[in-house]
Amino acid sequence: MQPPLARPGPGVHEHDTRLGSLIRANPLAILVVDAENRVEMCNAAFETLFGYREAEIAGIGIESLIVPPEHAEEAAALSRRGLDGQSSQSVTRRRRKDGTLVDVELTISPLGDGPATRTYNIYRDLTEQRRTEHHLRAQYAVVEALAQSSTIEDAAPRVLRGVAEAVGWQVGAMWIVDKTANQLKCIDLWRAAGVDARLFEAETRAHRFPRGVGPGRTWAMGTPAWIVDVTKAEHFSRRAGAQAAGLHAAFSFPMMLEGEVVGVVEFFTSTVLESDDTSLRMFAALGQQLGEFIGRSRTQEQFERFFTMSQDLLCIAGFDGYFKRVNEAWSRVLGYTAPELLAEPYMNLVHLDDRDTAQVEMARLATGDAVTMENRWRCRDGSYKWLFWNAIAKPEEHIIYAVARDDTVYQADHQLKETLKMRHDFVSFVTHQLRTPLSGIKWMLDLASNAENPEEAKSYIQDARESGDRLIGLVNDLLHVSRLESGKLQVILERVQLPELTQQVLRDVAALVREKGHKVVVDADPTLPDAMLDRELLQQAILNLVSNAIKYTPPGGRIDIRIFHDGDGLHWSIRDSGIGIPQAGQARLFEKFYRADNALTVDTEAVGLGLYLVRLIVERFGGTIACESEEGQGTLFHFAVPVAPGER
Ligand code: ADP
């Protein structure tokens, strides 16, 4: 342990020994000087900070020891004020024994009251504080540079400049690992104004370094590296350039992505600098951040490439009804430019007939379901294309990701094949259906011509006539269907009253009802408004439903017809106590030629066109039709039509 004020200069002995021990033990660097600024004593902290031993500087003027020439005047002024009895403070720089500079906060105070014969100088080392400030600035510079850039090439000049300026270095270079060549390639170099680093820049940009050489050493090691003075480092290949630019210390750190080095950043400064742990740690962290940015921007680039290359239509759309992004395939397929597509609510481009289903699917998307759908989109030239979609949404972000394929050719081909197949099926079906009654008629007429008496002949002719009626009925149905399907049937809208129309139908089938012994009850709302509909078509629809109820209900059954209206329009329903419809057949009931199994035995000659026709008619008037049934328990058919339908 040192004695207080050991080996003192003149006069210090007179001081309070307690003050002496305070100075000795103080963690701040303290120096006591006489009126001529000569060293009287210093403490251990001073020795550590400046590298001088007390013994070697005692009695020597401090200007020559620790004041850099550019601070001489300021130092003299501070010392004068101290000797005048005033304390003062300054943030400044002093020089160590080894010539390096150190940032300090200097306080000079007189020793004793009033004008003094000596002062004490307290130096607080600001190195750490400065370093922290520099680091913060460097980190901020990197964050800012990355936020403003989409690729590492964009970011490089900003990162190099920002970091170099923050830590006061003169040159920075960024290298990227070229995996194919297995070399480091310089992507950018930044140099401070006033530094003649042209040769160094040329050398750096021209050079490729393999792993283990130059910046490739940092690549090989995967950790930050420091060269105290490149002009003295044998292995430093760009020495000539560094010398010409007056660069000495060099520092490099790797850019890391998932544990792999993807690049290296180097900085050079004109002073000779020792490495320090906090800087190494901070730059290692920056390297991590830069590496991850490279990873992200590469993923982004890969995604962008697929996005542009894709032949499929890719898009990101908002729940607000607008596209956020579309790829080039959209313009190729539909003919719009990307800005045109982004400006238009996307539903406007969907074919009117497909919009309702599209809306339903959109609603499903909003609940997070993945959706596939097919719909027609209007092209710029007014034509339509079939798009087959796969879509999924991120409901919390109100965003839909979707891929669509132009399915027009497939659809056209598919539809053509379907049409040809249907035509073929239809022709063979109809041929069959017509041949049976026609053969029957021929057979009856043969019998009639060979009949032994006129009574017998008359009865055969009567049977032939009934078969003929059936045939006419079938041909009429087929004609109706074909005209309704092709839209060629002319619709005549007139005021009709559903109850009156129903009664008319019931009169036409009264004989049949009587024959089967059914009870028919009609419950019609007396306040029912007239409807604007085609009388003949509606009568046909009601007739088909009533005939079915009569036909598919065993003798002595009950048939209830209800006619009423509500906000949705006019409702017409018929309930019978008949054979019912098996569950499996109910979904296909309104298809052309469909017949349920249990109906085949009841009527062997029916063809399965009646309900299809009813559906075509009801839908033609913008209405809907439905059925409820249970096998053996009877059936309910129900249709609703608007009072004044928008004809479709
Ligand atoms: P069709 O009566 O000529 O077979 P429809 O198109 O009128 O053809 O009816 C299709 C099928 O629906 C019938 O074959 C039958 O299976 C079933 N169906 C229709 N109406 C009824 C009903 N009221 N009760 C039971 N089944 C019915």
Side-chain angles (χ1 to χ4, degrees), residues 608-622:
L609 269 180
L611 285 183
Y612 177 66
L613 205 55
V614 176
R615 172 164 77 91
L616 287 184
I617 293 170
V618 168
E619 286 181 354
R620 179 71 184 254
F621 294 116

Side-chain angles (χ1 to χ4, degrees), residues 276-347:
D276 71 87
D277 280 354
T278 28
S279 296
L280 289 176
R281 272 199 303 277
M282 197 276 297
F283 282 108
L286 277 192
Q288 193 75 34
Q289 205 176 332
L290 286 165
E292 280 162 16
F293 174 80
I294 292 177
R296 275 198 306 277
S297 63
R298 281 185 187 163
T299 314
Q300 176 74 17
E301 195 189 326
Q302 288 160 358
F303 164 75
E304 288 294 331
R305 224 163 255 182
F306 278 128
F307 199 75
T308 8
M309 274 166 48
S310 169
Q311 294 294 323
D312 287 340
L313 295 89
L314 307 181
C315 68
I316 300 172
F319 284 8
D320 61 0
Y322 286 89
F323 286 121
K324 306 280 171 223
R325 271 198 78 175
V326 290
N327 71 344
E328 284 163 22
W330 280 87
S331 304
R332 264 200 311 277
V333 174
L334 297 187
Y336 302 100
T337 63
E340 281 171 342
L341 285 164
L342 300 196
E344 180 90 12
Y346 46 74
M347 268 302 166

Side-chain angles (χ1 to χ4, degrees), residues 42-332:
C42 68
N43 67 356
F46 181 90
E47 290 182 342
T48 314
L49 179 58
F50 287 97
Y52 287 112
R53 310 283 309 158
E54 187 181 49
E56 62 181 301
I57 56 170
I60 301 176
I62 53 162
E63 292 88 348
S64 61
L65 291 173
I66 62 166
V67 181
E70 64 271 25
H71 292 290
E73 244 173 67
E74 166 224 271
L78 286 171
S79 140
R80 265 197 309 279
R81 287 171 63 186
L83 291 167
D84 282 353
Q86 290 171 32
S87 288
S88 47
Q89 207 172 48
S90 166
V91 170
T92 178
R93 250 183 201 173
R94 290 296 179 258
R95 196 177 51 219
R96 294 193 183 92
K97 186 180 176 186
D98 65 8
T100 57
L101 296 174
V102 54
D103 288 305
V104 290
E105 182 193 77
L106 169 59
T107 310
I108 298 191
S109 300
L111 205 59
D113 298 330
T117 52
R118 59 183 67 84
T119 59
Y120 57 92
N121 304 351
I122 305 172
Y123 301 88
R124 193 158 71 81
D125 184 359
L126 295 181
T127 312
E128 265 315 309
Q129 191 176 324
R130 285 278 178 275
R131 195 177 285 148
T132 312
E133 282 166 18
H134 290 165
H135 288 179
L136 276 176
R137 244 183 279 154
Q139 277 163 335
Y140 180 71
V142 169
V143 168
E144 209 184 19
L146 297 186
Q148 289 168 358
S149 320
S150 51
T151 63
I152 191 68
E153 285 77 9
D154 280 354
R158 296 191 185 115
V159 168
L160 294 174
R161 183 195 174 142
V163 173
E165 284 183 347
V167 295
W169 287 343
Q170 282 70 43
V171 173
M174 191 179 280
W175 303 80
I176 287 289
V177 173
D178 174 342
K179 280 197 174 170
T180 318
N182 204 26
Q183 283 179 333
L184 276 183
K185 188 177 83 181
C186 174
I187 56 164
D188 201 26
L189 181 138
W190 176 84
R191 51 194 164 95
V195 177
D196 184 8
R198 276 171 304 178
L199 177 60
F200 186 73
E201 174 165 2
E203 282 177 345
T204 303
R205 287 195 187 268
H207 234 98
R208 299 275 188 276
F209 285 101
R211 197 191 283 262
V213 181
R217 289 191 336 147
T218 308
W219 174 16
M221 286 167 2
T223 49
W226 195 286
I227 303 176
V228 176
D229 189 349
V230 289
T231 58
K232 299 212 171 75
E234 294 282 306
H235 58 262
F236 190 74
S237 61
R238 291 164 285 162
R239 207 154 12 130
Q243 221 138 21
L247 301 173
H248 291 282
F251 171 65
S252 67
F253 60 92
M255 297 192 279
M256 305 292 293
L257 174 62
E258 290 161 0
E260 202 183 306
V261 177
V262 286
V264 171
V265 184
E266 291 181 304
F267 287 103
F268 299 86
T269 174
S270 51
T271 51
V272 174
L273 266 189
E274 292 294 335
S275 72
D276 71 87
D277 280 354
T278 28
S279 296
L280 289 176
R281 272 199 303 277
M282 197 276 297
F283 282 108
L286 277 192
Q288 193 75 34
Q289 205 176 332
L290 286 165
E292 280 162 16
F293 174 80
I294 292 177
R296 275 198 306 277
S297 63
R298 281 185 187 163
T299 314
Q300 176 74 17
E301 195 189 326
Q302 288 160 358
F303 164 75
E304 288 294 331
R305 224 163 255 182
F306 278 128
F307 199 75
T308 8
M309 274 166 48
S310 169
Q311 294 294 323
D312 287 340
L313 295 89
L314 307 181
C315 68
I316 300 172
F319 284 8
D320 61 0
Y322 286 89
F323 286 121
K324 306 280 171 223
R325 271 198 78 175
V326 290
N327 71 344
E328 284 163 22
W330 280 87
S331 304
R332 264 200 311 277

Side-chain angles (χ1 to χ4, degrees), residues 470 477 544-553 574-582 585 588-600 602-603 605-614 627 629-630 632 634-637:
R470 212 178 238 288
D477 277 358
N544 288 4
L545 291 171
V546 172
S547 315
N548 280 349
I550 298 169
K551 183 163 66 175
Y552 296 115
T553 302
I574 180 164
R575 180 186 296 281
D576 63 50
S577 58
I579 61 172
I581 300 162
R588 302 191 48 202
L589 221 50
F590 298 100
E591 285 176 20
K592 200 179 337 188
F593 305 132
Y594 180 77
R595 303 199 67 209
D597 293 343
N598 64 342
L600 302 178
V602 176
D603 181 348
E605 289 176 39
V607 292
L609 269 180
L611 285 183
Y612 177 66
L613 205 55
V614 176
C627 164
S629 182
E630 206 176 312
T635 305
L636 170 87
F637 280 98

Side-chain angles (χ1 to χ4, degrees), residues 458-574:
K458 207 173 160 191
S459 147
Y460 287 135
I461 290 170
Q462 179 56 28
D463 286 350
R465 185 176 290 139
E466 276 172 20
S467 285
D469 284 347
R470 212 178 238 288
L471 213 53
I472 291 169
L474 173 61
V475 171
N476 277 342
D477 277 358
L478 286 171
L479 275 174
H480 267 123
V481 164
S482 131
R483 285 179 186 157
L484 273 167
E485 276 179 343
S486 66
K488 282 191 190 136
L489 189 81
Q490 218 193 343
V491 171
I492 303 158
L493 292 183
E494 59 187 309
R495 280 184 187 284
V496 289
Q497 280 192 315
L498 277 186
E500 184 247 293
L501 216 56
T502 308
Q503 292 301 346
Q504 165 83 48
V505 170
L506 288 176
R507 274 196 295 280
D508 292 346
V509 295
L512 270 176
V513 173
R514 249 196 324 276
E515 201 177 292
K516 291 201 74 169
H518 292 323
K519 179 174 168 58
V520 180
V521 180
V522 180
D523 171 13
D525 178 352
T527 67
L528 206 72
D530 293 351
M532 288 302 288
L533 296 166
D534 182 302
R535 163 179 283 276
E536 204 184 314
L537 285 179
L538 207 63
Q539 190 165 339
Q540 172 80 56
I542 291 173
L543 175 67
N544 288 4
L545 291 171
V546 172
S547 315
N548 280 349
I550 298 169
K551 183 163 66 175
Y552 296 115
T553 302
R558 181 180 167 109
I559 296 170
D560 281 288
I561 298 176
R562 268 193 76 207
I563 312 168
F564 60 99
H565 75 122
D566 66 6
D568 289 338
L570 302 176
H571 297 257
W572 191 97
S573 71
I574 180 164

